[in-house]
Amino acid sequence: MSDKHQQKMAKLKENVDASIAAADTERGVMIVLTGNGKGKSSSAFGMVMRSLGYGYKVGVVQFIKGEQLSGEELYVREKCPEVTFYQMGTGFTWDTQDRSGDIAAAERTWAVAAQLLADPSVHLVVLDELTYMLSFKYLDQQMVLDALANRPAEQSVVVTGRGGGSELLALADTVSELKEVKHAYNSGIKARRGVDF
Amino acid sequence: MSDKHQQKMAKLKENVDASIAAADTERGVMIVLTGNGKGKSSSAFGMVMRSLGYGYKVGVVQFIKGEQLSGEELYVREKCPEVTFYQMGTGFTWDTQDRSGDIAAAERTWAVAAQLLADPSVHLVVLDELTYMLSFKYLDQQMVLDALANRPAEQSVVVTGRGGGSELLALADTVSELKEVKHAYNSGIKARRGVDF
């Protein structure tokens, strides 16, 4: 083998080992997936699959979503009855012109989230598109941050959605910003079933 | 309700409607999830869940992975026997010092990917961490690009991994770059079972 290859492998290993050695705190993490690129919600559902692989209890709360049926909803409802799954549903749509109705729906949905965030038996909580509830001021930011901060130590939580605000990002352990480099619909390609929804 | 809210809702709806109206081509898409942030592989597995929700046939090929058991592997192997799942396995690890052995393993793994990319009955193919096979020149780039470009029109494919090269990104319909804003291990928090693996 070449020396260059060996050096590359050694360097990779060194970096990975250093990170692993330095990280010794075991607890649940808070992850925020933000930005305008594709993949935020699907990433959250990939983590749902991960947790289910180990037999952990999972809760999913979807804000905004509800008009269009999605593959992940179909899958979780049909194949994973053990997952707590709640959708804000018809309370909020892109067509809404009813702010007080939206707020009431957001609060009903948040009540489910708050219950999950207080339950130490739940390993992973997904709060899909929660950020919009904060940007639109449908939910009180301090109430949301307190519930996230005070969740059980072993519980992880994934928040998705564009924006979210600096306080939410500051509270998170891991933040990935998904940048749209390009998106198929800009080339005239329709959203794809089983991929985009 | 407030005028400002109504305007915001109307603008959101207008933008979404414009994109939907403009996009009228129906075909499979090629998605690349790249960048150094957390969430690339999990996003791919979220799309696996989406496709399974609609009962579509799915194939997953994992390059590099293999030393550490993951939740998604456990889940797919135990709960989704209908998914074609192949892992490069012990052929490549961060400890490897055997370039020719790595190349042989990459080629064996690619053979499974190539078969999936030629099968019109497969709705979604995930090529997890394929990009490294290109950066390390374990696989011939043109061979990989040709197989991706010539796949069945209805088939979607998701490629994950850092880098990948400009040709791969050019071929893709959708590219999201996951930027690490912060990561838990930099605060000394260990990788979390059911979340990070």
Side-chain angles (χ1 to χ4, degrees), chain A residues 1 5 13 42 95 97 138, chain B residues 1 5 13 95 97 138:
Chain A
M1 63 171 292
H5 177 256
K13 179 165 161 51
S42 55
D95 280 306
Q97 298 206 348
Y138 286 175
Chain B
M1 63 172 294
H5 177 254
K13 180 166 161 48
D95 279 306
Q97 299 206 347
Y138 287 175

Side-chain angles (χ1 to χ4, degrees), chain A residues 117-129:
Chain A
L117 291 171
D119 182 348
S121 75
V122 179
H123 186 77
L124 177 69
V125 178
V126 171
L127 303 176
D128 194 24
E129 314 222 49

Side-chain angles (χ1 to χ4, degrees), chain B residues 166-188:
Chain B
S166 52
E167 289 90 344
L168 184 79
L169 302 192
L171 186 62
D173 302 296
T174 297
V175 177
S176 288
E177 184 197 347
L178 283 83
K179 279 183 58 183
E180 179 181 301
V181 178
K182 59 177 164 174
H183 197 294
Y185 69 68
N186 291 323
S187 311

Side-chain angles (χ1 to χ4, degrees), chain A residues 1 5 13 25 38 42-43 50-51 72 95 97 123 138 172 176-177 179 182 190 192-194, chain B residues 1 5 13 25 38 42-43 50-51 72 95 97 123 138 154 172 176-177 179 182 190 193-194:
Chain A
M1 63 171 292
H5 177 256
K13 179 165 161 51
T25 306
K38 177 191 165 44
S42 55
S43 186
R50 271 185 188 153
S51 276
E72 62 269 35
D95 280 306
Q97 298 206 348
H123 186 77
Y138 286 175
S176 287
E177 183 197 348
K179 280 183 57 183
K182 59 177 165 175
K190 275 183 113 161
R192 190 74 177 157
R193 192 149 73 163
Chain B
M1 63 172 294
H5 177 254
K13 180 166 161 48
T25 305
K38 177 192 165 46
S42 55
S43 186
R50 273 188 186 151
S51 277
E72 62 268 36
D95 279 306
Q97 299 206 347
H123 187 78
Y138 287 175
E154 299 298 312
S176 288
E177 184 197 347
K179 279 183 58 183
K182 59 177 164 174
K190 273 185 116 161
R193 192 149 73 164

Side-chain angles (χ1 to χ4, degrees), chain B residues 132-164:
Chain B
Y132 304 102
M133 302 300 105
L134 300 174
S135 347
F136 296 160
K137 300 196 190 308
Y138 287 175
L139 294 176
D140 180 69
Q141 174 170 283
Q142 200 52 53
M143 172 190 74
V144 169
L145 295 177
D146 286 348
L148 289 168
N150 297 324
R151 73 188 195 281
E154 299 298 312
Q155 187 181 83
S156 295
V157 59
V158 184
V159 175
T160 76
R162 300 184 188 198

Side-chain angles (χ1 to χ4, degrees), chain B residues 49-112:
Chain B
M49 189 186 274
R50 273 188 186 151
S51 277
L52 293 176
Y54 293 107
Y56 289 131
K57 226 172 130 178
V58 175
V60 177
V61 179
Q62 292 194 299
F63 295 86
I64 291 196
K65 292 267 174 68
E67 282 249 297
Q68 187 179 40
L69 197 65
S70 73
E72 62 268 36
E73 179 183 355
L74 280 170
Y75 190 84
V76 171
R77 286 197 192 277
E78 282 173 27
K79 300 286 171 65
C80 315
E82 75 278 24
V83 172
T84 302
F85 186 86
Y86 188 86
Q87 229 176 30
M88 193 153 130
T90 52
F92 180 100
T93 76
W94 300 106
D95 279 306
T96 190
Q97 299 206 347
D98 173 12
R99 182 168 167 86
S100 63
D102 286 352
I103 290 175
E107 285 172 349
R108 278 196 303 276
T109 310
W110 176 254
V112 180

Side-chain angles (χ1 to χ4, degrees), chain A residues 26-162:
Chain A
E26 286 224 45
R27 64 163 173 82
V29 289
M30 174 176 158
I31 296 168
V32 176
L33 299 163
T34 187
N36 64 347
K38 177 191 165 44
K40 299 182 288 294
S41 297
S42 55
S43 186
F45 278 92
M47 289 183 246
V48 169
M49 189 186 274
R50 271 185 188 153
S51 276
L52 293 176
Y54 292 105
Y56 290 131
K57 225 172 133 180
V58 174
V60 177
V61 179
Q62 291 194 300
F63 295 87
I64 291 196
K65 291 266 174 69
E67 283 248 297
Q68 185 179 41
L69 197 65
S70 72
E72 62 269 35
E73 178 183 356
L74 281 169
Y75 190 84
V76 171
R77 286 198 193 276
E78 283 172 26
K79 301 286 171 66
C80 316
E82 74 277 24
V83 172
T84 302
F85 186 84
Y86 187 86
Q87 229 177 30
M88 193 153 131
T90 54
F92 180 100
T93 76
W94 300 105
D95 280 306
T96 190
Q97 298 206 348
D98 173 11
R99 184 171 166 84
S100 63
D102 285 353
I103 290 174
E107 285 173 349
R108 278 196 303 276
T109 310
W110 176 254
V112 180
Q115 227 168 357
L116 290 165
L117 291 171
D119 182 348
S121 75
V122 179
H123 186 77
L124 177 69
V125 178
V126 171
L127 303 176
D128 194 24
E129 314 222 49
L130 171 66
T131 58
Y132 304 102
M133 302 301 105
L134 300 174
S135 344
F136 295 161
K137 301 196 189 307
Y138 286 175
L139 294 175
D140 180 68
Q141 174 169 284
Q142 201 53 52
M143 172 190 74
V144 169
L145 295 177
D146 287 348
L148 290 167
N150 297 325
R151 73 185 195 283
E154 298 298 311
Q155 187 182 82
S156 294
V157 58
V158 184
V159 175
T160 76
R162 299 182 188 199

